[in-house]
């Protein structure tokens, strides 16, 4: 049972409330977009949504500021870092003030105030003109003001004039005001001179007025009806609309000197009321703000869980998610349970508490046994993975025939391979001896050595009896004790979907575990019971629900045996803090099957791309795979994404420390 809990102050507005907290200065309920030509995209709208709409194909209107081609190029350049964001200045004398004229204000809702609304307007201008988002926060101050009839004349520092000029025709207290610079337009060599720089300044302005400094909330709801964006005809064509959001995220990144400053400044984002059918057009949000805590996706057109799948492996720190007002609620009544499993730190879903702080803390810390030193990735449910590991290796060392009967069925696969090229122990504790691999070579399924299909098939053991026979052919072993010699083990476990259902009830498969173990064992002389040779090994299991005596069954078991290489490679520098440091990575995604890759990308090609990205970036294979998955398996885009977020990645994302 879940209990209702008050939404934290930093949380994005929920559901219909997001559309009711209107603000007279145009920061409120504009809509980000209608689908263009039947595809989900940020697009233009004429006002707050009242229900599904069907517009004709949108065209760039005649008389627009720029052609569609020019707009595409501008947005592309606005999303790069080859330009600086410089504030426009005026040509006022050094130390002097710049005068501006504000008109139209006297007909506002504040005109009934004692001063006709002047003080309220000045406060609003100072607030809206201040730079709140970025590493260099600046508070705009109106130094002098006076009224002349229906005109309000104000004086500000030259560096503040540009921000006020851009607010021309903004809405305030129910009317649009006009702001003009007295004595000519803003002019300075530092002012934006190209269309791309002007677009970047415009996007910066959109971000600024939609950002609340106190709550760290960025309101990107309903962008399609934003007046400033509509003036630029951003949503009049599919190509410009598709480039808009990535360009805006790039501008946000350039506003901060360090990623940690950006993460601290924006903890909540609303993408409500945007007519999103999927997340492809806004996917870059997870790269720019990976540590987001509160996310509002309410009142969109997300109709099934798969439309959210691109963010399943993102936002590890997400605490509150809002999905109300989407068709998903009616189409999949059980979606909430799945969403909660995606985000282990989630406390609230649609304003309803789904985990307590104690539950999150307990889940993050994890159990201390049987692995006092935990890997960077260990997921378990009900102690299933832990119990399996504890039981399996004890059985492998003592009674392999019983082990095969207990965990393997007629559809279970087992294979092993000898890797004679693996590096040996740098301490030289174990010497390589002639003929030492004779007990393994006969059935070794090293795919780099065995290239023909028939030998490969003959070395794949399927079924309980075949697995038991293969086990019997291997030398007797003794593995280190998990509790007392934990530092000799590296154990990872994660939940994976699509494991074959032994009952046949689910065609798409069921959830299971992927467990990867690296460690060592000693070969034991059967006559004397004494250890005679030490080896290193890597073993990967795919576990599914069991139908026999065991709770689980082994679907696939792959063992690699190699010369003893020591445990230095996975020995943590700080054993005491390892558990807590490892927790954020517990949500890493499983490697997808070939059927889920884009057309033209085979599993073999995908593996090569992952290996090459790891080689060039130093990231782990899992992080490289997730990066490529996020950018649609475009290798160059993957490199660009890594360059943008590398400073915010945790140490566990890398194979070795970066220099």
């Amino acid at each position: 049972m879940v209990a209702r809990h008050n939404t934290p102050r930093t949380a994005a507005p929920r559901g219909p409330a997001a559309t009711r907290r209107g603000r007279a200065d145009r920061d409120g309920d504009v809509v980000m977009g209608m689908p263009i030509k039947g595809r989900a995209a940020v697009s233009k709208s004429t006002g707050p949504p009242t229900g599904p709409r069907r517009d004709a194909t949108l065209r760039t209107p005649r008389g627009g500021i720029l052609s569609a081609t020019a707009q595409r190029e501008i947005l592309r350049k606005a999303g790069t870092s080859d330009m600086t964001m410089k504030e426009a200045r005026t040509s006022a004398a050094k130390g002097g003030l710049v005068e501006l004229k504000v008109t139209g204000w006297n007909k506002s809702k504040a005109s009934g105030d004692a001063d006709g609304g002047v003080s309220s307007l000045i406060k609003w201008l100072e607030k809206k003109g201040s730079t709140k988002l970025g590493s260099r926060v600046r508070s705009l101050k109106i130094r002098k003001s006076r009224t002349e009839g229906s005109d309000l004349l104000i004086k500000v520092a030259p560096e503040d004039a540009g921000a006020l000029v851009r607010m021309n025709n903004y809405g305030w207290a129910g009317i649009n005001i006009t702001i003009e610079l007295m004595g000519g337009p803003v002019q300075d060599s530092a002012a934006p001179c190209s269309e791309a720089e002007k677009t970047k300044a415009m996007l910066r302005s959109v971000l600024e007025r939609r950002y609340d400094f106190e709550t760290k909330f960025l309101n990107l709801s309903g962008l399609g009806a934003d007046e400033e964006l509509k003036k630029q005809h951003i949503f009049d064509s599919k190509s410009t609309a598709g480039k808009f959001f990535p360009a805006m995220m790039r501008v946000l990144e350039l506003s901060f000197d360090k990623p940690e400053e950006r993460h601290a400044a924006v903890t909540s984002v609303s993408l409500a009321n945007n007519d999103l059918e999927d997340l492809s057009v806004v996917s870059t949000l997870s790269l720019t703000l990976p540590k987001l805590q509160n996310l509002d996706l309410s009142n969109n057109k997300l109709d099934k869980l798969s439309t959210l799948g691109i963010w399943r492996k993102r936002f590890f720190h997400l605490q509150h998610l809002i999905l109300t007002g989407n068709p998903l609620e009616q189409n999949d009544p059980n979606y909430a349970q799945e969403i909660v499993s995606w985000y282990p730190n989630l406390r609230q879903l649609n304003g309803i508490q789904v985990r307590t702080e104690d539950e999150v803390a307990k889940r993050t810390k994890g159990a201390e046994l049987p692995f006092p030193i935990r890997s960077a990735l260990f997921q378990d449910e009900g102690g299933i993975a832990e119990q399996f590991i504890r039981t399996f290796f004890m059985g492998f060392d003592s009674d392999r025939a019983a082990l095969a009967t207990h965990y393997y069925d007629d559809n279970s696969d087992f294979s092993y391979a000898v890797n004679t090229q693996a590096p040996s122990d740098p301490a030289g504790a174990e010497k390589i001896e002639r003929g030492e691999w004779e007990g393994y070579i006969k059935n070794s399924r090293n795919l780099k050595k065995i290239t023909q299909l028939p030998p490969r098939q003959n070395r794949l053991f399927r079924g309980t009896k075949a697995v038991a026979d293969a086990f019997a052919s291997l030398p007797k072993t003794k593995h280190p004790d998990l509790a007392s010699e934990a530092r000799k083990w590296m154990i990872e476990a994660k939940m994976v979907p699509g494991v074959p259902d032994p009952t046949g009830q689910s065609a798409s498969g069921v959830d299971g575990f992927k467990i990867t173990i690296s460690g060592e064992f000693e070969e034991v002389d059967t006559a004397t019971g004494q250890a005679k040779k030490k080896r290193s090994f890597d073993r990967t299991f795919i576990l599914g629900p069991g139908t026999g005596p065991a709770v689980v069954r082994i679907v696939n078991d792959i063992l690699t045996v190699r010369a003893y290489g020591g445990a230095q490679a996975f020995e943590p520098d700080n054993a005491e803090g390892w558990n807590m440091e490892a927790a954020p990575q517990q949500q890493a995604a499983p490697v997808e099957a070939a059927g889920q890759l884009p057309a033209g990308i085979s599993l073999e090609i995908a593996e090569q791309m992952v290996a090459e990205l790891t080689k060039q970036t130093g990231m782990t294979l899992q992080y490289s795979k997730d990066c490529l998955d996020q950018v649609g398996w475009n290798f160059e885009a993957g490199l660009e994404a890594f360059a943008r977020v590398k400073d915010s990645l945790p140490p566990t994302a890398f194979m070795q420390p970066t220099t």
Side-chain angles (χ1 to χ4, degrees):
M1 179 175 289
V2 293
R4 292 191 175 274
H5 185 72
N6 291 332
T7 305
R9 188 181 183 196
T10 57
R14 298 190 280 111
T19 63
R20 289 198 298 267
R21 61 180 303 220
R23 296 166 63 181
D25 58 2
R26 300 189 320 165
D27 290 351
D29 319 338
V30 286
V31 190
M32 179 161 73
M34 305 295 299
I36 298 179
K37 294 186 179 179
R39 295 184 59 187
V42 182
S43 58
K44 70 176 183 178
S45 177
T46 57
T50 58
R53 293 176 48 184
R54 296 281 189 268
D55 285 353
T57 301
L58 298 172
R59 297 182 296 273
T60 303
R62 294 184 180 181
I65 297 175
L66 298 168
S67 68
T69 302
Q71 290 179 39
R72 287 195 297 270
E73 182 65 14
I74 288 170
L75 283 172
R76 185 190 67 80
K77 291 183 178 179
T80 64
S81 57
D82 58 350
M83 307 174 202
T84 57
M85 283 292 297
K86 297 182 179 179
E87 185 61 77
R89 296 170 58 95
T90 65
S91 56
K94 184 176 181 180
L97 299 177
V98 176
E99 189 171 51
L100 299 99
K101 180 173 70 174
V102 184
T103 58
W105 58 275
N106 57 318
K107 299 178 181 179
S108 72
K109 295 178 181 179
S111 60
D113 295 351
D115 60 356
V118 172
S119 59
S120 296
L121 176 57
I122 289 176
K123 287 182 180 179
W124 180 81
L125 290 171
E126 289 179 337
K127 178 182 178 181
K128 302 303 293 183
S130 297
T131 302
K132 307 178 291 296
L133 187 63
S135 297
R136 287 165 290 280
V137 176
R138 176 181 175 81
S139 297
L140 184 148
K141 184 69 176 177
I142 294 177
R143 309 297 179 85
K144 297 181 180 180
S145 65
R146 72 180 193 278
T147 58
E148 290 185 359
S150 60
D151 298 339
L152 173 63
L153 301 177
I154 58 176
K155 289 187 177 182
V156 298
E159 56 267 26
D160 292 333
L164 290 172
V165 169
R166 286 199 302 272
M167 292 167 59
N168 180 46
N169 203 36
Y170 272 27
W172 171 75
I175 50 90
N176 290 338
I177 60 173
T178 300
I179 303 177
E180 300 175 86
L181 181 68
M182 303 294 288
V186 177
Q187 51 183 335
D188 188 79
S189 59
C193 57
S194 71
E195 292 296 339
E197 287 174 329
K198 291 177 182 177
T199 299
K200 184 175 287 190
M202 179 271 295
L203 294 175
R204 169 65 185 243
S205 174
V206 171
L207 290 167
E208 278 285 351
R209 60 186 170 77
R210 287 173 166 268
Y211 175 67
D212 189 297
F213 177 79
E214 294 182 355
T215 61
K216 301 182 180 181
F217 171 47
L218 183 59
N219 182 5
L220 300 180
S221 64
L223 291 171
D226 186 290
E227 294 298 327
E228 190 166 3
L229 296 175
K230 288 168 69 176
K231 286 181 191 176
Q232 302 296 323
H233 305 286
I234 295 297
F235 307 122
D236 287 351
S237 71
K238 174 181 170 181
S239 54
T240 54
K243 292 180 174 64
F244 158 70
F245 196 87
M248 185 166 63
M249 290 296 99
R250 184 58 179 153
V251 170
L252 178 59
E253 292 173 5
L254 294 174
S255 299
F256 294 88
D257 295 333
K258 300 178 181 178
E260 51 266 30
E261 293 178 352
R262 182 170 73 248
H263 303 328
V266 184
T267 60
S268 303
V269 169
S270 175
L271 288 170
N273 303 310
N274 283 317
D275 286 343
L276 295 173
E277 295 180 352
D278 59 44
L279 301 177
S280 58
V281 72
V282 294
S283 63
T284 48
L285 179 71
S286 66
L287 298 176
T288 303
L289 298 171
K291 296 186 178 181
L292 202 63
Q293 297 178 21
N294 307 290
L295 177 61
D296 185 359
L297 291 170
S298 62
N299 300 323
N300 283 294
K301 296 182 177 179
L302 305 170
D303 61 353
K304 51 188 175 182
L305 273 173
S306 61
T307 61
L308 303 170
I310 196 171
W311 281 349
R312 178 178 180 178
K313 311 153 202 168
R314 306 297 163 184
F315 302 125
F316 296 149
H317 303 272
L318 193 65
Q319 298 182 18
H320 189 190
L321 177 63
I322 303 171
L323 291 168
T324 55
N326 284 284
L328 171 67
E329 291 182 294
Q330 288 74 39
N331 296 345
D332 188 353
N334 298 319
Y335 81 95
Q337 182 178 359
E338 184 70 15
I339 289 293
V340 171
S341 71
W342 287 6
Y343 303 106
N345 291 309
L346 195 69
R347 275 81 160 173
Q348 293 187 60
L349 178 62
N350 300 332
I352 299 176
Q353 186 175 3
V354 295
R355 287 192 186 97
T356 65
E357 293 294 336
D358 289 343
E359 288 173 337
V360 173
K362 186 181 298 184
R363 185 184 183 97
T364 300
K365 184 177 181 181
E368 295 184 359
L369 292 177
F371 318 120
I373 299 180
R374 304 182 70 79
S375 70
L377 173 65
F378 195 91
Q379 292 178 323
D380 201 355
E381 291 289 340
I384 294 174
E386 174 183 325
Q387 184 61 32
F388 168 78
I389 296 167
R390 184 194 293 269
T391 304
F392 182 88
F393 288 97
M394 185 183 302
F396 193 83
D397 291 342
S398 60
D399 192 343
R400 294 178 185 172
L403 182 74
T405 303
H406 188 73
Y407 280 121
Y408 299 79
D409 64 15
D410 291 341
N411 295 310
S412 299
D413 289 334
F414 167 70
S415 63
Y416 71 87
V418 175
N419 182 1
T420 58
Q421 304 300 315
S424 300
D425 178 17
E430 294 288 329
K431 302 297 183 181
I432 303 297
E433 300 175 0
R434 184 179 181 85
E436 67 173 69
W437 296 110
E438 289 182 358
Y440 297 92
I441 291 296
K442 180 180 178 181
N443 290 315
S444 172
R445 195 171 184 257
N446 187 329
L447 299 183
K448 289 187 175 181
K449 305 289 186 179
I450 310 298
T451 59
Q452 300 298 314
L453 183 59
R456 287 185 173 187
Q457 291 176 326
N458 293 336
R459 288 168 171 79
L460 179 63
F461 304 99
R462 173 167 294 179
T464 305
K465 185 180 184 306
V467 171
D469 291 343
F471 282 177
S473 70
L474 296 173
K476 184 175 177 59
T477 59
K478 180 182 179 182
H479 290 78
D481 181 70
L482 280 165
S484 61
E485 300 178 277
R487 284 171 172 78
K488 296 181 178 181
W489 298 81
M490 181 67 173
I491 304 174
E492 298 183 347
K494 58 186 176 183
M495 300 288 291
V496 293
V499 175
D501 182 3
T503 67
Q505 296 179 358
S506 176
S508 59
V510 295
D511 288 342
F513 288 95
K514 179 179 180 180
I515 300 176
T516 304
I517 302 173
S518 295
E520 62 187 63
F521 63 82
E522 293 177 325
E523 291 182 3
V524 178
D525 189 311
T526 55
T528 64
Q530 299 298 312
K532 61 179 182 179
K533 191 73 177 180
K534 186 180 290 188
R535 310 282 192 189
S536 288
F537 76 94
D538 305 292
R539 198 158 191 166
T540 300
F541 301 96
I542 300 295
L543 304 184
T547 57
V551 177
V552 298
R553 69 185 182 98
I554 295 176
V555 178
N556 190 271
D557 174 10
I558 300 177
L559 169 66
T560 299
V561 183
R562 48 192 169 85
Y564 180 68
Q568 299 93 330
F570 44 82
E571 179 81 13
D573 294 330
N574 178 13
E576 293 182 359
W578 186 251
N579 282 349
M580 295 304 293
E581 293 175 6
Q585 293 308 311
Q586 291 183 358
Q587 302 82 15
V591 177
E592 280 80 358
Q596 296 173 289
L597 295 169
I601 303 292
S602 66
L603 184 58
E604 183 178 0
I605 294 175
E607 290 174 345
Q608 293 173 358
M609 292 173 66
V610 169
E612 182 61 26
L613 188 60
T614 292
K615 178 180 178 181
Q616 293 192 31
T617 64
M619 291 192 296
T620 64
L621 293 175
Q622 183 65 48
Y623 266 84
S624 295
K625 182 264 165 190
D626 285 347
C627 179
L628 290 169
D629 187 50
Q630 179 72 14
V631 298
W633 292 88
N634 182 316
F635 190 82
E636 295 300 324
L639 288 173
E640 294 174 2
F642 168 76
R644 290 201 301 270
V645 304
K646 62 181 179 180
D647 293 334
S648 65
L649 293 175
T652 51
F654 298 95
M655 299 289 289
Q656 57 189 16
T658 55
T659 57

